[in-house]
Structure formats: C-alpha cells, structure tokens
Amino acid sequence: MKRSYVVLCRCAALLICLGICCGCGSPARQVELLNVSYDPTREFYQQYNAWFTRTWEEEKDSRVLIRQSHGGSGKQARSVIDGLEAHVVTLALAYDIDGIAEHTGLISPAWQTRLPHNSAPYTSTIVFLVRKGNPKQIRDWEDLVRPDVEVITPNPATSGGARWNYLAAWGYALLKELGTLSPPPGDADSAVRDAAEEKARDFVSRLYKNVSVLDSGARASTTTFIQRGIGDVLLTWENEAFLAVEVMAQSGVEIVVPSVSILTEPTVAWVDGVVEKRGTLSEARAYLEYLYRPEAQRLIARHYFRPCTPEYADPQDMQRFAALRLFTIEEAFGSWRAAHEKHFAQDGVFETLFKGAS
Amino acid sequence: MRLQYRQRHFMPGFGISLGYTVFYLSLLVLIPMSVLGLKAFSLDGQVYLDILRDPRTLAAFKLTFGAAFAGAGINLVFGFIVAWTLVRHPFPGRRMVDALVDLPFALPTAVSGIALTTLFARTGLIGRMLEPLGIQIAFAPAGVIVALTFIGLPFIVRTLQPALEDLDPEYEEAALSLGASRLRTFLTVIFPSLRPALLSGFALALARALGEYGSVVFISGNMPMRTEIVSLLIMGKLEQFDYDGATALAVMTLLLSFMILLFLNLLQWRLGRRTQQGG
C-alpha cells in the first residue's frame, strides 16, 4: 500500500517534468558553446553573443547558449591545450591558435583559410599613448629612440601584445630603410635586405634602451603608465588606447598615431575536435561566420576594433580610426612562426638586445 | 619482538593513519612531482645545457636565489624582534598587531604586489621620498627583495612565537643574577634554544620566496638580465608553448631549492644533536 503510493508519486513527478519540458514551446534544439577569448574583447563579445543568440533563434528556431572565457591570449591557448573544451577560440594572435593546432591536433592546420580575411573578422593596430598635450612632442616611431623619452611596453616573453609592439617597431625601421616591403623576406635575401635588418636591429635596440619597465601583460603596462604616471609614451593596441582615453576621461592621456604601424590580426577558429565530439559544428561555424555580417561589423567598429568590411560600420565610428600605412606580419616577417623563431625564441634577437647590457 | 613493537604504539590506528599519510602525500605531492620528473627525464640533455649557458637564465637564477636569501635574512632579524615583542611585552592592542602578521598569508599575492608597487614607484608615497636620494626600489632588484620580505614575514614570526612562549624567563633571570651580561645571556641562553625555530622559519620563508610569482612581477619591472625572476621565465616559456624549456627550468629550480632545504635540515639536525650532547 505504502510502496505503491511512492511509485505513483514518482510517476506523477516524472510526467509533470516531461510536460514542462515539452509543453512550453521550447526550441527543438539547444546547445552550449564555449568561446575562449583574450582580454580586450570582453565588452564586444558580451554584445555580440546577445545579438547572435537572438538571430540564430529567429532563423533556425534553435537556442544557443554562449559562455565566455577571457584572459591573456597565450594563457588561454594553453588552457585549451591542457584540455579546456573550447568550441571556438578567438585569440590575439594566429601564433596562439597555431600552437593549439600543433600541440593537440584539435584544429585543422589549414584553419586560417576557412574564413575570409585570414580568419580575422576584425583587426587593430599598435599606436602610442602620450601625456595630455604631448609635452615631449612624440609624433612618430623616430621620437621613441630620443634619449629623453621613456617608453613603456610589456615583456614579449609573457605578453602577446608586447610581441606586436616589438614587431611594429621593427617593421617601421625596415620600411624606412627599404621604402617597400615587397617582395617579402625569404624571396629576396639580398644584401640590401640584410643591411636593412641590421638597421632595424639597431633601431629596436635603441628603443628598448628607453624602456624602464617591462610588465608581464598589456593591462599591467597600461596601469604603470596611467595610474603610476611612469614613462612618456605607452605602446598599445589601438582598441585599448581608445578605451583608456574614452572610458577613463580623467586619465590625462591622448592618442598619437604613427605614420606606419603593423596590422594586428586577432584570429578566430572553431575547434574541430571538440565540435565534432559535441555535435555543435553548425552552431560554432555560424557563430564565427556571423562575425562577418553587417550587424556584427557595425558592433565591431563600435567597440574600437577595425572591421574587415568598413562599409557596414557606422561612418561616425569609422571616423575615429586614423588613416596610416599598415603592414602585415607576412609582408615584413614572412609568417608568425618565422618572426617567433628569429626574434622571441631562446637566443632570439630580443634576448640579445639585453645581453651585455647589465 | 613483534609483540614489543606493537606494544609501543599504545594509541590505536597506527596502520590506518600511516596508510592515510602515504595516500594523501602521494595524491598531493608525489604524483604531481613525478609527472614533472617523468617529463624531465624525457628531455634531451641539450635543453638543460642550453639553459645553463644562457646568460639571461643565469641572471634570473642569481636574482631569485639572492633576493630570496636576502628577504629571509631580513625577516630573520626583524621577524625575531616582532615575535619577541608580541610574546614578551603585553601591550594594548597586541591581538590586533598579532592578526596583522598573518595578512601577507591571506592577501592574494597580486594584490600585495600592486600595493607595494604603488607605494614604492617614483610617484608613490614612499618612492617619492626616496627618489631625491637616488634610491630606486620599484622596478629595480631592491623591489624584488621588498616583495619577498613582505610575503616571508609570517613564516618567521609564526614559527618563533611558540618557541618563545616555551622559553621560561626564569632561565634568563638566573643567568643575569649569576652575573652574565645581557649579550652573553642572549647568546648562550636564549639563542641556542631558539635556534631550531629560527632555522625552520628561515627555511620556510626561503622556500616560499623561491617560488613566488604574483607579487614580484608587478614590482620588479621584468627587465631581462636585471630584474627577471625564474618564475617569470617559466611563465614566458609556457606562454610561447616551449614546454620543454619550462620543464627544464622548473626542474633546476626544484633541485636547487631541494638541496638548500636539505642542507638547512641537516644543519638543524646536527646542531640539535650537539646541543643535546652538550646539555
């Protein structure tokens, strides 16, 4: 008697649960995606995720729940290598996604050709942040090697942004010597090119002599420059610079855009190994492909990144971006891998800049 | 024989507690360490040679171990004074001060690093006063010592306190009344009985300082050859997916630390034996 009552109760509970699940008209399919990203994209993806979830539900009648993870780009890549189940990765440099592909095989080696524009739906560049009124009259890269200028940039060993800064300076010096960056290195290892590389080494070496603090990350450098008031100029991402100027209006800094800089391409990829296992390939793929849609491009420009198709963006947002000569890493260095080997690996050029200096 | 062995442990549960100890230590210490060991043995010897030849790494080792010793040494003297004051001189608000000592334990290291940097940077409260004197603390090797001293303080104070509490003032009074000078009383009565606590406090603070990362990276400025610590180099290598290089660095730090700690323990053991024989 008592036992059958319990069974009855359980059945009833189960039925009610089932009824709730089927009854309230929920979408046919519901999946969860984890987007592993780097620090400065936090605000952008918050908005983009809301838009994407809405659009996807309208178009496909299926619900996607997107979870975000942010941190230093290299650190995030390492988490994925160590087993964090990311469905998509949206990191600061292609080198980090290459790292995941190489160490885990979870991402197809040809990932960068799967999406338009080198798999970079938004780009940025490296600019200068100086004190209000620009008291040291810093206008271009050449001013950074003046003996009276103190430069702040993070340590390339621990910061992806710092590597972009370093490569931007090197590329500037190359371009100044050669006048052009074509053909890319490797094709023409002529004496002229070697001489220019030597000049670039000298320029970068003088620049890093003016650096007094190499913080471990880009945000830490921003703090050193703005909060502690150390240094005359900070090398930083353009999107970070805008954030510093517009969000912290009282920070007393302004942006100086050099004549030439590097085109930084934060890249995106879906993680084949994970989305195949979870059966979320169509959602993960769409999540990245939709980044190229007009609405997303508009949102990108609003959050201080340069959209890959500027026509879609609000012209007012586009006005904020100064025109300058941008070179890619392929133009100046061949590839990320080549740049890494030559400059940042053990016994690379960066290390030799400091040897004998102590 | 067997019976005798059993009889010695009048408290029950020796077997189970030993089993538990071995299991727990394996889970927490031995297994993670052996993973590092396995990875270390799978490496080519060349990786180690490369690191030993690299001046940037050697400079980092020198700074890390030098600053850790300096920090623990400073704490040995000033931590002793703090512990002595807290135990021997009851004063109003002593409990508050006592609680303050633990703060470096509880504070996230990044927070203490940022706080110290704010104080000692050129524009900071203390840094501003030191700058005209030509003293630079933040973004200089001295900053590393300051950070390591800060995090090491509780280790010395907390190991000394119980030892000091056990030390009966009557012995000092006896020594003084028998005509010993204050210095002699300290050197021959107080110091020998505190030596084990001082040594183990020093060893703990040193070990803690050798592995520190969070607070140091903010205050040191991380300049290659000048203010980079070993943990930063390990992080840097990981960040660039150089797992082999990172493992090699970690193993070498571990070996060096282990040797130093072993030496300190042996020293303690020998001194302890001599004191026992002598007394």
Side-chain angles (χ1 to χ4, degrees), chain A residues 78 150 157 214 228 340 351, chain B residues 56 122-123 221-222 240 243:
Chain A
R78 221 171 51 248
E150 190 179 3
L214 287 169
R228 311 211 193 299
H340 181 84
E351 221 163 85
Chain B
R56 185 180 179 188
R122 231 179 284 156
T123 48
N222 309 319
Q240 297 172 54
Y243 287 70

Side-chain angles (χ1 to χ4, degrees), chain A residues 240-311:
Chain A
E240 284 281 279
F242 274 120
L243 220 59
V245 169
E246 293 189 18
V247 175
M248 298 187 277
Q250 77 289 7
S251 59
V253 291
E254 61 184 55
I255 297 176
V256 169
V257 181
S259 61
V260 178
S261 194
I262 197 163
L263 180 75
T264 62
E265 296 179 295
T267 41
V268 301
W270 64 86
V271 185
D272 303 78
V274 173
V275 294
E276 273 159 28
K277 195 167 85 184
R278 300 269 167 231
T280 51
L281 175 63
S282 57
E283 282 86 358
R285 205 183 158 132
Y287 179 73
L288 297 181
E289 279 168 355
Y290 279 33
L291 282 167
Y292 294 87
R293 286 204 174 178
E295 297 92 328
Q297 291 286 308
R298 225 178 131 82
L299 214 55
I300 281 166
R302 171 124 324 139
H303 285 89
Y304 312 112
F305 287 96
R306 292 181 179 228
C308 63
T309 24
E311 304 87 276

Side-chain angles (χ1 to χ4, degrees), chain A residues 223 227-228 230, chain B residues 107 110-132 135-139 143 146-147 150 218-219:
Chain A
T223 311
Q227 251 84 13
R228 311 211 193 299
I230 291 176
Chain B
L107 222 54
V111 175
S112 43
I114 291 171
L116 288 173
T117 314
T118 309
L119 272 180
F120 284 101
R122 231 179 284 156
T123 48
L125 218 56
I126 301 178
R128 220 173 10 212
M129 292 187 274
L130 292 177
E131 217 206 342
I135 303 171
Q136 198 189 355
I137 303 265
F139 315 125
V146 168
F150 177 80
F218 288 101
I219 199 168

Side-chain angles (χ1 to χ4, degrees), chain A residues 144-163:
Chain A
L144 302 188
V145 297
R146 273 178 9 212
D148 64 320
V149 169
E150 190 179 3
V151 182
I152 303 293
T153 173
N155 192 331
T158 45
S159 157
R163 272 171 252 163

Side-chain angles (χ1 to χ4, degrees), chain A residues 25-47:
Chain A
S26 72
R29 187 179 150 84
Q30 181 163 5
V31 295
E32 218 178 84
L33 294 182
L34 173 62
N35 176 6
V36 171
S37 193
Y38 66 116
D39 268 326
T41 57
R42 201 179 300 263
E43 293 81 11
F44 164 66
Y45 275 113
Q46 223 165 33
Q47 305 246 316

